[in-house]
């Protein structure tokens, strides 16, 4: 389309610019705004009509005035993609941040992304070994899954995400993941932590980073994850890579969404977040999966911090309704000095059933996982009772379960930041720990597995 | 004014057109690509349109064409085993046309218009036909006979009719007034299909899930709501119902849910066998999958598409069950559109008409006398996803006001891995009164009484548990300890059910009754043994009771259970010292 420049801005409000009298502008079209000092800002059309166009400006509206020139680029937002992306660091709007050259596009991909036809999806079933016992045993990750970490401020979710990125592999395979890392509004310190860790382990060469930091424009955060996922889709579905997308922090993304909603004077939903937040989040999370006829896959690890540790807050709540489970980080465990402080009780992997068992992990996995979970849940519950009636009031079974809950946290959950346990090690560890409980109380274990795996039955 | 206008404004899925002659709910084609949309508001010259596809890249000034039809579904042979999106485009066809990603501007017929079906006329020349009357049969799948009916509003004397192989658009019957009837008919989704009258439901929809059939039964033609927070098993429950309920046809709507979950259903269903007919489950199923990232307006339409298809099969005299997972996503789609229209919001940003829309939807359930005098029903089971699991929110409340059955899922039970995680203390069904006669006649005379005893025990348990929380169970008198033990048996042996186990996933209603009786007879014999001096511990730990409980995972349990109960009774009697 023409490069005609309009100077018809009427209003500027928060991240939004309103202008009138333009040629017909497409919904979603990309816009550049030239300021009087010659600098350029980018934006996107949010609302368009014969009389009025509303533009959302990614870099913030500072210095925009009625004299600023607005050019419509005639196209929707696209990301130049090619395999050159791998190993690069880009900013939140997709420009190089590492001093390297611009990406030479093999193709330009629409960043909104089309929905995958549910009929064309393939059910995920490949077990990903993360080397973290709590995840591998209790909330098993599957290739093509979207499994968020529900954390809160001050908890080591970043360490866990990095450990997963470092250690994740298919059982019995050296095939590595390409990590697409998407930072939204995190601090420079956190970013440096991620980057230096990826550099240290050499993972940076196999990663693409999209970085929007806390002092970068908030509105840019709306597109950052879309860029990351567009890159991921290209690498997975065009280039056959297995891609692991880590994005942090979804809470900042949602806050940016709220900011735009407020500027547009939309009717807010719960806690001021827009009513379409569910759909909006789904447009991100649902870009995970495996499709028929393509070799690659996208696995997503979104990290979100629950405001006030509240799991019913709209952000974790809506996420939980879309994602295939969640890994919940517990402040209580963290304060006891346990790493990784994963509370397995509210954690869940919905796809676990499809990827565990004889062919993929081990025949006793399901049984062991159920029993570990049940025994720990009962043990934790007994702690409450003990606080009231004292330990002496417990019967033998309850005493053993109570003790087990401590062992579970200390021996099973706890591991070091570079400890990479194989699934066999994890399951053997489970059997060792469960042997502290009398076998007759282990009702969820199949008799045949007890005979085969229980330490008493092994010499 | 003509039926062609131009786009004036675009705001997400909402487009405004001017210069077009439009009526409410007319279907329009928007832009050069011809995206499908529906008129939802009129302001003078301007028509506000909700568009069922992504609107990025569309500009003001592009044409809008009014088809002057309302949003309709195609009804006829070929519906069964199909998987549609929210506006009845078959997903398989979309894959052929556009590949794995859903792009836009593609139109697809709801089913193969060329396929020949064998039509067998059941009326003859000269017969007087009324609306809704069956004129012929088509064996659509192994289990389902598709009855071809005179569309509502049409009637007359048959001039000619022929049996043979036809496709759905060929005329099979001509009336005296020249009206030609084909096997395919269309019906606007937002209007309920007509029927003669509604009956009171009197037959249960047997689901094979013990807690549902036994404690909180749903009637054929009834409506049920399943609210629950995420991770509590709504989808698994809905899927179990789709698999095992004894409806003759199932319409399953995946409305704004997860893509991978939908894929699981799509992968699994074709391999499953219907326990009631022994034939593949897909033969009786129509699926609608509009996942959360597919266009929001099509999500809004998906529940209407589904229920219209369900009503159509009801009109043939079938018992149809419709599962909508999840109605909250449907409500959110309404909210999203409403907010784009800048309507004054009601509670939590939902439009003020939310509760009336919910009520209208559930009212389309019911057991009816069809236009042709048959007896058919549509049972609606809607999942609700309340934010934070708090059912005081508008969608849950709007649903509870209208449904008669409430199956409340509980995050706490799910966390204890008690599945189905339906809370037996706050769930309810208002149908037992109308269904008890059926249970007495078909299962056992004392069925309702057994149910009352079982639910009574659970109630007592919850009271005792409060005491146990404070003082521990050892402090209770032995008879109350026994009550706790019996209640535990009800929970673990009866209410818990493994939806993925090949035997346990479906429990015959007769077996349900026997299992409940087995629990009560344990209570009886334990009581009398303890009265004669037996120890609670000995009574509880008899091997035959463990065998009885484990037996439910074995095939042939229904035949063995009586013997197992006898054995248990004998062994418990043996625990009395001196015997």
């Amino acid at each position: 389309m023409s490069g005609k420049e309009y100077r018809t801005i009427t209003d500027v409000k928060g991240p939004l610019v309103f202008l009138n009298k333009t040629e017909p502008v497409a919904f979603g079209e990309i816009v550049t705004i030239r300021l009087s000092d010659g600098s350029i800002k980018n934006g996107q059309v949010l609302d368009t009509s014969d009389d009025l166009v509303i533009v959302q400006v990614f870099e913030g509206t500072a210095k925009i005035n009625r004299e600023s020139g607005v050019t419509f680029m005639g196209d929707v937002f696209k990301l130049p993609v090619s395999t050159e992306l791998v190993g690069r660091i880009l900013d939140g709007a997709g420009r190089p941040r590492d001093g390297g050259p611009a990406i030479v596009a093999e193709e330009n991909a629409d960043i909104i992304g089309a929905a995958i036809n549910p009929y064309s999806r393939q059910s995920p079933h490949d077990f990903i070994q993360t080397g973290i016992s709590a995840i591998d045993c209790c909330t098993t990750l599957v290739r093509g899954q979207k499994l968020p970490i529900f954390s809160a401020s001050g908890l080591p979710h970043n360490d866990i995400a990095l450990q997963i990125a470092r250690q994740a592999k298919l059982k019995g395979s050296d095939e590595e993941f390409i990590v697409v890392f998407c930072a939204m509004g995190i601090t420079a310190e956190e970013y440096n932590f991620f980057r230096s860790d990826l550099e240290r382990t050499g993972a940076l060469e196999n990663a693409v980073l999209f970085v929007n930091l806390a002092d970068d424009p908030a509105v840019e955060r709306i597109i950052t994850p879309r860029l990351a996922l567009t890159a991921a889709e290209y690498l997975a579905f065009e280039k056959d890579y297995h891609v692991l997308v880590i994005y942090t922090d979804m809470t900042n993304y949602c806050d940016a969404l709220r900011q735009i909603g407020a500027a547009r004077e939309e009717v807010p939903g719960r806690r001021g977040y827009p009513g379409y937040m569910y759909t909006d989040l789904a447009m991100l999370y649902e870009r995970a999966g495996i499709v028929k006829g393509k070799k690659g896959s996208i696995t997503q690890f979104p990290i979100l911090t629950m405001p006030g540790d509240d799991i019913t807050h709209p952000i974790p709540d809506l996420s939980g309704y879309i994602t295939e489970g969640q890994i919940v980080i517990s402040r209580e465990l963290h304060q006891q000095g346990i790493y990784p402080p994963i509370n397995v009780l509210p954690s869940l992997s919905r796809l676990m059933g499809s990827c565990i068992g004889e062919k993929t992990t081990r025949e006793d996995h399901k049984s062991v996982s159920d029993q570990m979970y049940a025994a720990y849940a009962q043990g934790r519950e007994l702690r409450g009772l003990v606080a009231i009636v004292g330990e002496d009031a417990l019967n033998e079974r309850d005493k053993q379960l109570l003790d087990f809950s401590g062992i579970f946290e200390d021996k099973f959950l706890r591991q070091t930041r570079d400890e990479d346990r194989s699934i066999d090690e994890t399951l053997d560890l489970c059997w060792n720990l469960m042997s502290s409980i009398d076998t007759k109380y282990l009702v969820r274990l199949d008799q045949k597995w007890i005979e085969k795996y229980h330490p008493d039955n092994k010499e | 004014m003509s039926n062609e206008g131009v786009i004036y404004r675009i705001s997400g899925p909402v487009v405004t057109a001017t210069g077009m002659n439009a009526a409410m709910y007319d279907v329009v084609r928007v832009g050069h690509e011809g995206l499908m949309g529906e008129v939802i508001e009129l302001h003078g010259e301007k028509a506000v349109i909700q568009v069922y596809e992504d609107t990025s890249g569309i500009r003001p000034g592009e044409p809008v064409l009014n088809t002057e039809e309302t949003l309709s579904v195609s009804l006829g042979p070929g519906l069964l085993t199909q998987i549609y999106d929210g506006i009845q485009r078959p997903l398989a066809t979309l894959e052929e046309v556009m590949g794995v990603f859903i792009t836009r501007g593609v139109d697809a017929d709801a089913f193969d218009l060329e396929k020949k079906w064998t039509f067998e006329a059941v009326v003859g020349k000269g017969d007087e036909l009324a609306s809704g009357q069956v004129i012929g049969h088509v064996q659509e799948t192994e289990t389902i006979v598709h009855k071809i009916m005179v569309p509502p509003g049409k009637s007359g004397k048959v001039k000619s009719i022929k049996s043979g192989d036809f496709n759905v658009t060929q005329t099979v019957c001509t009336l005296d007034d020249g009206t030609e009837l084909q096997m395919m008919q269309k019906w606007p989704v937002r209007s309920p299909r007509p029927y003669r009258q509604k009956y009171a439901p009197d037959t249960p929809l047997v689901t094979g899930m013990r807690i549902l059939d036994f404690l909180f039964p749903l009637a054929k033609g009834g409506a049920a709501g399943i609210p629950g927070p995420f991770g509590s098993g709504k989808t698994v429950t809905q899927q179990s119902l789709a698999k095992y309920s004894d409806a003759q046809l199932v319409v399953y709507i995946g409305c704004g849910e997860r893509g991978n979950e939908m894929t699981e259903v799509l992968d699994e269903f074709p391999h499953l066998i219907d326990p009631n007919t022994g034939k593949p489950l897909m033969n009786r199923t129509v699926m609608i999958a509009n996942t959360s990232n597919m266009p929001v307006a099509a999500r809004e339409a998906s529940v209407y598409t589904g229920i219209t298809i369900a009503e159509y099969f009801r009109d043939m005299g079938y018992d149809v069950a419709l599962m909508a997972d999840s109605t909250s996503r449907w409500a959110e789609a309404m909210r999203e559109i409403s907010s784009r229209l800048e309507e004054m919001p009601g509670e939590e940003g939902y439009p003020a008409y939310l509760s009336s829309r919910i009520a209208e939807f559930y009212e389309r359930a019911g057991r009816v006398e069809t236009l042709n005098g048959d007896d058919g029903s549509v049972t609606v089971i809607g999942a609700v996803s309340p934010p934070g699991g708090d059912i005081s929110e508008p969608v849950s409340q709007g649903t509870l006001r209208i449904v008669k059955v409430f199956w409340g899922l509980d995050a706490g039970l799910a966390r204890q891995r008690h599945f189905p995680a339906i809370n037996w203390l706050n769930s309810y069904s208002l149908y037992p009164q109308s269904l008890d006669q059926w249970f007495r006649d078909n299962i056992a005379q004392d069925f309702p009484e057994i149910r009352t005893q079982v639910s009574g025990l659970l109630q007592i348990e919850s009271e005792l548990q409060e005491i146990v929380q404070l003082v521990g169970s050892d402090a209770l008198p032995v008879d109350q300890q026994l009550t706790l033990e019996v209640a535990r048996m009800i929970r673990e042996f009866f209410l818990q059910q493994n939806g993925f186990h090949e035997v346990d996933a479906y429990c015959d209603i007769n077996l349900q009754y026997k299992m409940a009786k087995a629990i009560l007879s344990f209570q009886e014999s334990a009581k009398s043994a303890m009265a004669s001096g037996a120890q609670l511990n000995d009574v509880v730990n008899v091997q035959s009771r463990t065998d009885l409980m484990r037996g439910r995972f074995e095939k042939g349990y229904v035949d063995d259970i009586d013997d197992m109960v006898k054995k248990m009774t004998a062994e418990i009697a043996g625990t009395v010292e001196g015997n």
Side-chain angles (χ1 to χ4, degrees), chain A residues 27 47-48 51 120 278 321 373, chain B residues 8-10 57 95 256 386 415:
Chain A
F27 177 73
D47 197 323
T48 168
D51 309 322
S120 311
Y278 176 83
Y321 275 120
Y373 185 98
Chain B
Y8 165 76
R9 177 185 173 190
I10 304 145
E95 186 189 67
R415 268 207 286 283

Side-chain angles (χ1 to χ4, degrees), chain A residues 73-84:
Chain A
M73 307 304 285
D75 205 352
V76 293
F77 206 125
K78 291 197 168 158
L79 176 75
V81 287
S82 83
T83 41
E84 278 179 35

Side-chain angles (χ1 to χ4, degrees), chain B residues 336-355:
Chain B
E336 200 169 324
I337 305 282
S338 159
S339 116
R340 301 267 184 188
L341 296 177
E342 291 162 13
E343 290 174 338
M344 185 69 83
E347 231 177 312
E348 291 194 20
Y350 285 106
Y353 47 77
L354 174 75
S355 60

Side-chain angles (χ1 to χ4, degrees), chain A residues 81-83 85-86 116 143-144 175 177-180 208 228-245 287-300, chain B residues 100-101:
Chain A
V81 287
S82 83
T83 41
L85 278 170
V86 179
I116 300 175
R143 197 153 72 178
E175 207 175 347
F177 285 93
I178 296 274
V179 174
V180 172
V208 192
L229 289 164
T230 306
E233 272 171 7
Y234 173 78
L235 294 170
F237 301 138
E238 302 289 329
K239 297 293 166 194
D240 297 344
Y241 287 110
H242 294 291
V243 183
L244 184 66
V245 184
R287 290 170 83 173
I290 309 175
V291 296
K292 284 183 204 157
K294 312 264 182 190
K295 286 199 192 119
S297 66
I298 298 180
T299 310
Q300 287 190 15
Chain B
V100 295
F101 291 98

Side-chain angles (χ1 to χ4, degrees), chain A residues 186-327:
Chain A
I186 61 171
T187 61
E189 203 175 317
E190 282 175 295
Y191 164 60
N192 287 335
F193 173 71
F194 270 104
R195 203 192 52 191
S196 61
D197 191 90
L198 291 172
E199 260 169 11
R200 180 175 63 84
T201 56
L204 198 56
E205 289 163 27
N206 275 327
V208 192
L209 275 61
F210 290 86
V211 183
N212 165 287
L213 297 185
D215 56 352
D216 288 335
V219 180
E220 196 179 83
R221 281 165 213 159
I222 301 295
I223 54 168
T224 311
R226 295 189 160 81
L227 296 171
L229 289 164
T230 306
E233 272 171 7
Y234 173 78
L235 294 170
F237 301 138
E238 302 289 329
K239 297 293 166 194
D240 297 344
Y241 287 110
H242 294 291
V243 183
L244 184 66
V245 184
I246 299 178
Y247 29 113
T248 179
D249 174 340
M250 282 311 285
T251 307
N252 295 333
Y253 171 83
C254 294
D255 284 352
L257 211 58
R258 176 165 67 176
Q259 197 183 334
I260 292 169
R264 293 185 69 184
E265 296 177 2
E266 289 169 344
V267 179
R270 271 206 309 153
R271 303 225 185 168
Y273 291 98
Y276 50 80
M277 194 158 86
Y278 176 83
T279 308
D280 194 278
L281 287 173
M283 308 260 295
L284 301 179
Y285 293 140
E286 280 290 336
R287 290 170 83 173
I290 309 175
V291 296
K292 284 183 204 157
K294 312 264 182 190
K295 286 199 192 119
S297 66
I298 298 180
T299 310
Q300 287 190 15
F301 247 110
I303 299 172
L304 59 89
T305 48
M306 299 183 281
D309 294 9
D310 177 11
I311 200 167
T312 66
H313 184 279
I315 299 172
D317 191 52
L318 294 179
S319 296
Y321 275 120
I322 306 165
T323 56
E324 284 133 0
Q326 64 276 339
I327 293 171

